[in-house]
């Protein structure tokens, strides 16, 4: 046993006061610097072989349930990564990274930096050191995994999150840490997403935490709605909120004037609201959202970006942020095209999923093959009441032959045994409109035109059965074809004029990202905050909180 300090009752957890010594045969011994205040030491025992065996045996036993760690240490003959005399810089880098985990909104208890410090302070034997060595490596792997690809498993949070997460290879992480000394800080920082939006979200996180620490945004707006020309306390409250949120310069205006209306309009543009400068009920509700709620959205957005990792989005890609109800074409980081979209309506079977895939072709003048769920849940009851309902739909058998409705007793069937399918041939009234944009996926989701144009004028556009309806589908087609044709309009219209279903291939497949961010940096340098349409952000935050995110 080693003596305890009479000053502080034991090691105080500061690694700066502890050094590690190793003899030329690689035998570990825990020692303290002569300058260490109150630190204690383990004397070098007479039997070097016994020491090596005790450390190695403890380390191997601790790693027996993890082949990655077991193989790593076995292959390096149980040389230390964290507990040896030359590991000081690496050890400091690890603790600095773990101490910074909260800045990323990660569950800090999972890495337990405080517990590691206590283990260092309490280490009395080589067995203790072996277990400590393994615990530090486990903390590294957990931190690298969470920072690079998320602390949660997306599919376990919500069935609508279909995103495939690429987890880092543990052996690769350990090997990189073993070769890094002074560069370990850079290695650990490099696990975070490189996307510029991640850094901007982190900056917003710090800003919101400062606002919360200072008491928040101040009094809420005590009114259901306000209009230009209004005066009174509620207008002053709205003015002060707009100033706090950065949408209005400091002002002493007492009335709802043109300057305040412009500030309201800018706020609306960043919050998915009709930008008319009128503080209607939805706008006032959004203005009254407190900083802690915005902070939750930012923390969730950072986790969602981690799920996407550092995989390239594509120099050219399509970005569909569902809560924003907008699809964008992004070329080398700049938005070159945007259009309103309609997403799936709220409901277990109709909400649009989140995933990424490659768009490979368009189908011009598409046939709509009605999904089985819609056929039996929506159309079969109509046909049972009136066999001639929805006359634009063809009834087809399993061989694809059209069956006259007069030959079918719809009342004889139910949702489980209905033997027919429904399809709608190309037409002006086709549910898919004149074009659909295909990125083959197991969820049968795609972007498409629609004859229901009035829905794009709605503020909240969640009406589909899961696919994404595009407000300006022809313009999207022209934009995508411009890379492969000098006359993209002429090319598209030549297919359209045929009237029959045809496939128009894209020479270069384009990544499509169906995402769900209720907090997202804008091109103007602000953060857009959007409504949690499907309640997924709430589920993600609750899961992060349960995992230990503060």
């Amino acid at each position: 046993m080693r003596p305890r300090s009479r000053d502080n009752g034991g090691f105080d957890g500061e690694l700066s006061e502890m050094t590690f010594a190793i003899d030329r045969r690689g035998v570990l011994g825990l020692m303290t610097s002569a300058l260490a205040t109150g630190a204690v030491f383990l004397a070098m025992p007479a039997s070097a072989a016994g020491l090596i065996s005790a450390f190695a045996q403890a380390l191997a036993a601790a790693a027996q349930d993890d082949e990655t760690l077991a193989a790593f240490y076995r292959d390096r003959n149980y040389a230390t990564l964290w507990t040896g005399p030359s590991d000081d810089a690496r050890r400091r880098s690890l603790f600095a990274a773990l101490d910074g985990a909260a800045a990323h909104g990660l569950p800090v208890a999972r890495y337990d930096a405080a517990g590691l410090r206590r283990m260092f302070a309490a280490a009395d034997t080589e067995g203790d050191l072996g277990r400590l060595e393994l615990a530090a490596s486990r903390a590294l792997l957990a931190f690298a995994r969470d920072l690079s690809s998320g602390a949660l498993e997306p599919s376990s949070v919500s069935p609508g999150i279909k995103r495939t997460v690429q987890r880092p290879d543990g052996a690769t992480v350990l090997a990189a840490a073993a070769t890094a000394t002074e560069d370990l800080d850079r290695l650990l920082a490099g696990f975070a997403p490189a996307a510029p939006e991640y850094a901007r979200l982190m900056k917003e996180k710090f800003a919101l935490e400062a606002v919360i620490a200072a008491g928040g945004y101040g009094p809420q707006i005590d009114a259901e709605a306000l209009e230009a020309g209004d005066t009174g306390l509620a207008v002053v409250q709205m003015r002060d909120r707009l100033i706090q949120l950065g949408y209005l310069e400091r002002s002493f205006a007492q009335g709802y004037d043109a300057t305040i209306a412009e500030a309201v309009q800018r706020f609306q543009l960043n919050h998915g609201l009709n930008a008319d400068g009128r503080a209607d009920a939805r706008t006032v509700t959004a203005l009254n959202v407190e900083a802690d709620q915005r902070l939750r959205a930012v923390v969730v957005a950072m986790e969602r970006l981690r799920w996407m990792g550092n995989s390239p989005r594509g120099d050219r890609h399509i970005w569909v942020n569902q809560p924003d109800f907008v699809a964008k074409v992004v070329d080398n980081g700049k938005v070159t095209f945007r259009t309103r979209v309609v997403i799936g309506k709220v409901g277990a079977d109709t909400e649009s999923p989140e995933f990424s895939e490659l768009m490979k072709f368009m189908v011009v003048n598409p046939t709509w093959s009605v999904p089985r769920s819609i056929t039996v849940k929506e159309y079969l009851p109509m046909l049972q009441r009136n066999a001639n309902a929805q006359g634009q739909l063809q009834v087809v058998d399993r061989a694809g032959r059209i069956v006259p409705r007069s030959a079918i007793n719809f009342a004889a069937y139910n949702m489980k045994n209905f033997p027919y399918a429904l399809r709608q041939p190309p037409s002006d009234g086709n549910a898919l409109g004149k074009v659909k944009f295909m990125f083959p996926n197991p969820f049968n989701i795609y972007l498409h035109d629609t004859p229901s144009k009035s829905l794009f004028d709605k503020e909240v556009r969640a009406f589909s059965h899961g696919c994404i309806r595009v407000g300006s589908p022809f313009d999207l087609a022209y934009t995508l074809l411009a890379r492969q044709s000098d006359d993209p309009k002429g090319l598209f219209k030549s297919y359209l004029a045929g009237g029959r279903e045809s496939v128009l291939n894209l020479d270069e497949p384009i990544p499509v990202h169906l995402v769900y961010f209720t907090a997202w940096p804008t091109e103007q340098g602000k953060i857009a905050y959007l409504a949690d349409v499907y309640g997924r952000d709430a589920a993600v935050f609750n899961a992060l909180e349960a995992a230990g995110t503060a």
Side-chain angles (χ1 to χ4, degrees):
M1 295 296 290
R2 57 184 183 174
R4 293 289 177 185
S5 164
R6 286 175 294 183
D7 298 329
N8 57 13
F11 180 58
D12 64 3
E14 290 298 326
L15 296 177
S16 61
E17 296 179 351
M18 181 175 289
T19 62
F20 291 80
I22 185 167
D23 73 1
R24 59 188 180 141
R25 297 180 57 194
V27 182
L28 292 170
L30 180 59
M31 308 179 71
T32 57
S33 166
L35 300 177
T37 58
V40 296
F41 70 92
L42 182 68
M44 181 72 71
S47 172
L51 246 180
I52 294 174
S53 175
F55 176 83
Q57 286 180 7
L59 178 51
Q64 64 183 346
D65 62 341
D66 190 322
E67 180 55 28
T68 297
L69 283 164
F72 171 74
Y73 280 104
R74 187 168 59 243
D75 292 346
R76 58 193 275 115
N77 294 320
Y78 298 96
T80 65
L81 202 60
W82 315 107
T83 59
S86 61
D87 298 332
D88 184 64
R90 187 183 294 117
R91 190 167 53 247
R92 291 174 188 278
S93 294
L94 175 63
F95 274 98
L98 300 186
D99 290 341
H104 296 273
L106 292 172
V108 294
R110 184 176 292 181
Y111 326 116
D112 195 15
L116 279 178
R117 285 189 168 94
R118 287 193 296 271
M119 289 181 70
F120 269 102
D124 281 324
T125 68
E126 288 303 315
D128 291 342
L129 284 176
R131 287 182 286 274
L132 173 56
E133 176 74 30
L134 200 284
S137 287
R138 284 192 191 279
L140 167 72
L141 292 181
F143 177 77
R145 173 188 181 277
D146 291 355
L147 182 57
S148 65
S149 54
L152 305 175
E153 290 297 335
S155 60
S156 69
V157 179
S158 168
I161 307 175
K162 309 294 186 182
R163 191 157 300 285
T164 301
V165 175
Q166 299 296 323
R167 298 295 187 186
D169 177 64
T172 302
V173 172
L174 289 166
T179 57
T181 52
E182 299 298 331
D183 292 334
L184 186 61
D185 288 336
R186 187 180 306 167
L187 171 70
L188 295 172
F191 287 123
E197 294 90 353
Y198 190 83
R200 291 178 63 185
L201 286 166
M202 183 178 284
K203 181 179 179 181
E204 179 77 352
K205 178 178 181 291
F206 295 153
L208 287 167
E209 288 169 341
V211 169
I212 293 169
Y217 292 133
Q220 291 195 334
I221 303 166
D222 188 17
E224 291 186 4
L226 293 167
E227 293 186 355
D230 285 349
T231 59
L233 177 60
V235 173
V236 172
Q237 291 167 338
M238 183 174 71
R239 177 203 70 192
D240 291 345
R241 281 246 158 182
L242 289 166
I243 293 170
Q244 282 279 349
L245 293 167
Y247 289 94
L248 182 66
E249 297 292 335
R250 187 162 298 279
S251 166
F252 297 98
Q254 301 293 307
Y256 196 150
D257 58 16
T259 301
I260 289 180
E262 290 174 3
V264 169
Q265 188 175 38
R266 288 192 293 272
F267 176 86
Q268 291 168 325
L269 283 169
N270 280 340
H271 291 75
L273 303 166
N274 286 335
D276 55 10
R278 294 179 59 255
D280 60 9
R282 293 193 74 231
T283 298
V284 170
T285 297
L287 281 164
N288 277 337
V289 172
E290 297 296 354
D292 60 339
Q293 293 172 269
R294 297 304 190 201
L295 179 59
R296 292 184 176 200
V298 168
V299 168
V300 170
M302 293 173 70
E303 174 73 356
R304 289 184 178 280
L305 267 179
R306 290 191 290 265
W307 290 341
M308 298 185 75
N310 281 321
S311 299
R313 295 178 198 168
D315 292 340
R316 160 170 273 206
H317 63 267
I318 297 173
W319 185 262
V320 183
N321 189 16
Q322 296 173 42
D324 197 21
F325 307 107
V326 169
K328 302 174 182 178
V329 176
V330 181
D331 287 296
N332 297 311
K334 294 186 177 181
V335 177
T336 55
F337 174 83
R338 71 179 69 220
T339 179
R340 291 186 171 197
V341 298
V342 168
I343 67 172
K345 58 187 175 183
V346 177
D349 299 327
T350 55
E351 294 175 1
S352 299
E354 304 167 45
F355 64 95
S356 296
E357 206 28 280
L358 285 176
M359 181 182 292
K360 298 179 178 179
F361 61 93
M362 310 174 198
V363 178
V364 185
N365 297 314
T367 295
W368 182 40
S369 298
V370 183
R372 177 72 181 177
S373 61
I374 299 176
T375 295
V376 298
K377 290 181 180 180
E378 297 185 23
Y379 288 131
L380 179 57
M382 296 182 191
L383 295 170
Q384 288 173 333
R385 292 191 296 269
N386 177 6
N388 294 316
Q390 301 296 320
Q392 78 279 12
L393 300 177
Q394 298 171 338
V395 182
V396 297
D397 63 16
R398 290 188 174 91
R401 297 170 298 202
I402 299 175
V403 181
R405 296 185 182 208
S406 59
I408 303 171
N409 178 13
F410 292 103
Y413 301 105
N414 57 42
M415 291 174 58
K416 293 183 178 180
N417 66 9
F418 187 60
Y420 302 103
L422 300 177
R423 72 183 181 200
Q424 185 180 17
S427 66
D428 289 340
N430 187 283
L432 303 182
K434 293 293 188 177
V435 60
K436 62 178 180 178
F437 303 86
M438 303 299 293
F439 39 105
N441 58 81
F443 320 113
N444 198 29
I445 296 295
Y446 43 85
L447 276 63
H448 67 87
D449 183 17
T450 176
S452 304
K453 303 295 186 183
S454 63
L455 296 178
F456 295 104
D457 295 329
K458 304 287 186 180
E459 194 169 61
V460 177
R461 297 186 289 278
F463 300 103
S464 81
H465 285 87
C467 287
I468 309 297
R469 302 178 188 175
V470 181
S472 303
F474 287 11
D475 290 333
L476 175 58
Y478 304 152
T479 299
L480 298 180
L481 293 172
R483 289 283 186 93
Q484 66 190 65
S485 172
D486 293 333
D487 183 15
K489 291 185 180 181
L491 175 61
F492 180 77
K493 289 181 178 179
S494 68
Y495 278 75
L496 193 63
R500 291 182 293 183
E501 182 174 273
S502 56
V503 172
L504 177 49
N505 288 312
L506 297 175
D507 289 352
E508 296 181 12
I510 300 172
V512 178
H513 304 285
L514 302 186
V515 299
Y516 192 101
F517 287 96
T518 63
W520 190 250
T522 70
E523 295 122 80
Q524 293 74 37
K526 302 288 290 184
I527 299 294
Y529 289 103
L530 306 164
D532 187 9
V533 186
Y534 296 148
R536 286 182 193 160
D537 264 24
V540 173
F541 183 81
N542 289 340
L544 283 171
E545 197 170 40
T549 294

